[in-house]
Amino acid sequence: FVNFVDAGIEQPIYQGGKIVAQKKKQKAVVESEQLKLKQAKLDVELGVRVLYAHVLQDKELTRIAQGQVKELSVEYARIKKLVDQEILPRYEFFRIETLLQGAKHALVKHKESYDYLFTVLKETVGVSEGESLDLAPLGEFPELDESVLSYLSTAREHDPVYKLKDLRVQEKQFEKKELQADRYPHLSLTAKWNQINDVFVDTNRVMLGVVGKWNIWDFGRLGSKIKAKSHEIEEMKWEGELQVRQYERGIREAFHQSRAGREKIRLTEALIRERQEIYKNEKTRLIAGEKGTGELIDSFIALEEAKIKNIEAVTEYRLLLVKLGRKTDFEAFLQGIGSEAPVEFSHPEEEGE
């Protein structure tokens, strides 16, 4: 029977800077993960704002459809009466009936879509079923800055993608320093206690000293690893640079698309004014007996189609602004253009505090 105990502790006192490099690398890793978490939160907020824009769109389309149903219902009753009196041909009745049914279908479709999306929005932002959530008017939207440079500078200051690029390079640089540290001797302060009891010998001793290790020659393997790591660093630098350039191209693209979208809104507004005037004139001519019912209905449908195009253009513009805001950090983006903040979004860990 042998009783054997061997225990000890070891404290490195010099490893060529390896421990310091490992510590700094882990610090960079922690910062990287924090920035990735921020990116994830921005992506979630992007989804909320996209959902918000679609809720506003369906709300306005529902309002438009309600107006169409109301107006066409009056025309339906009037034309039906005239057809029954054989003053108008029957195809006029079938036409207004088709238009009215189409308006009713649009009303139900947009109302159901609005109810669904609005419920999802409330659940997403943490508003209970009994609470209300006020929505901003669709037509209240921010104006763009004159130059894309302000958005680029905001992104460079706030967006995590820029810091992540540098942190990835730093991680590789610290890994290289870890390898370079193996060129130097490693010294550790050690304390040991061992006890051996058997039939031949009894040993009970405590040892205190310094342990040294130095890999003087490894046939070039360490040098090759260091060179490979240097290439990795250069590769990571170029990869980050290309990623940033692509990201900034996305900002420029979103900016110029937003400018085009703003002009599209102005176009649809001009179209609405034109068709409102045409509809008003057709009403006057109908009263005067110069035009028939068909022309009035056509001008009304054309006016409603112009309103729908305006709603679609505004929604498209809002979505482009959301995309631009995601790339430049929403909070800084909104402060920079003086825009609305439609909903307060709370993150899961904040709700639990």
Side-chain angles (χ1 to χ4, degrees), residues 167-234:
L167 287 172
R168 292 191 186 103
V169 174
Q170 288 180 21
E171 288 179 33
K172 293 297 179 182
Q173 289 174 336
F174 291 135
E175 289 176 4
K176 179 181 177 181
K177 288 183 178 180
E178 287 182 50
L179 292 172
Q180 290 174 329
D182 289 335
R183 292 188 182 277
Y184 302 95
H186 292 185
L187 302 177
S188 299
L189 184 65
T190 183
K192 287 187 177 183
W193 170 59
N194 58 44
Q195 181 180 9
I196 303 175
N197 297 320
D198 61 14
V199 296
F200 297 107
V201 64
D202 290 336
T203 303
N204 188 353
R205 59 184 176 180
V206 175
M207 294 178 288
L208 179 66
V210 176
V211 176
K213 183 175 67 174
W214 192 0
N215 189 1
I216 299 176
W217 178 249
D218 64 352
F219 300 95
R221 287 178 295 181
L222 180 59
S224 297
K225 290 180 181 179
I226 294 173
K227 288 181 181 179
K229 191 61 65 175
S230 298
H231 294 316
E232 282 186 43
I233 293 171
E234 289 301 313

Side-chain angles (χ1 to χ4, degrees), residues 21 51 57 66 82 102 159 167 183 196 223 229 294 302 311 327 347 349:
L51 178 60
Q57 180 185 32
Q66 286 174 338
L82 293 174
D159 199 284
L167 287 172
R183 292 188 182 277
I196 303 175
K229 191 61 65 175
I311 292 171
K327 289 182 176 294
H347 300 295
E349 70 273 14

Side-chain angles (χ1 to χ4, degrees), residues 100-307:
L100 177 59
Q101 195 56 45
K104 289 180 177 179
H105 168 257
L107 174 59
V108 173
K109 181 180 73 172
H110 295 306
K111 181 64 169 64
E112 294 298 323
S113 178
Y114 169 75
D115 289 342
Y116 164 70
L117 293 177
F118 188 62
T119 301
V120 173
L121 177 64
K122 289 178 67 175
E123 291 176 351
T124 304
V125 300
V127 177
S128 64
E129 188 173 346
E131 295 178 316
S132 63
L133 177 63
D134 295 331
L135 299 176
L138 181 71
E140 291 185 4
F141 47 79
E143 296 293 342
L144 285 169
D145 285 350
E146 291 298 322
S147 174
V148 70
L149 296 179
S150 61
Y151 300 104
L152 289 172
S153 62
T154 301
R156 290 164 185 164
E157 184 178 354
H158 296 280
D159 199 284
V161 70
Y162 294 89
K163 294 180 181 178
L164 277 172
K165 170 180 71 73
D166 296 332
L167 287 172
R168 292 191 186 103
V169 174
Q170 288 180 21
E171 288 179 33
K172 293 297 179 182
Q173 289 174 336
F174 291 135
E175 289 176 4
K176 179 181 177 181
K177 288 183 178 180
E178 287 182 50
L179 292 172
Q180 290 174 329
D182 289 335
R183 292 188 182 277
Y184 302 95
H186 292 185
L187 302 177
S188 299
L189 184 65
T190 183
K192 287 187 177 183
W193 170 59
N194 58 44
Q195 181 180 9
I196 303 175
N197 297 320
D198 61 14
V199 296
F200 297 107
V201 64
D202 290 336
T203 303
N204 188 353
R205 59 184 176 180
V206 175
M207 294 178 288
L208 179 66
V210 176
V211 176
K213 183 175 67 174
W214 192 0
N215 189 1
I216 299 176
W217 178 249
D218 64 352
F219 300 95
R221 287 178 295 181
L222 180 59
S224 297
K225 290 180 181 179
I226 294 173
K227 288 181 181 179
K229 191 61 65 175
S230 298
H231 294 316
E232 282 186 43
I233 293 171
E234 289 301 313
E235 179 185 350
M236 190 63 66
K237 286 180 180 178
W238 280 107
E239 182 180 334
E241 186 65 27
L242 291 174
Q243 184 181 6
V244 165
R245 290 181 184 180
Q246 183 178 0
Y247 198 78
E248 292 189 349
R249 282 199 299 270
I251 294 175
R252 293 179 183 275
E253 180 183 16
F255 173 77
H256 292 293
Q257 286 179 345
S258 298
R259 289 183 59 134
R262 186 65 185 91
E263 288 303 313
K264 185 176 180 180
I265 292 173
R266 294 189 178 99
L267 171 62
T268 57
E269 289 171 347
L271 184 62
I272 289 174
R273 291 192 294 270
E274 174 193 350
R275 292 188 175 177
Q276 281 176 335
E277 186 66 23
I278 293 173
Y279 179 56
K280 184 173 70 174
N281 292 338
E282 291 297 336
K283 268 190 173 181
T284 303
R285 291 177 181 177
L286 178 65
I287 294 171
E290 298 178 6
K291 289 286 185 177
T293 303
E295 288 82 356
L296 178 64
I297 294 174
D298 289 341
S299 63
F300 172 73
I301 295 299
L303 173 59
E304 297 303 295
E305 288 177 350
K307 292 178 181 178

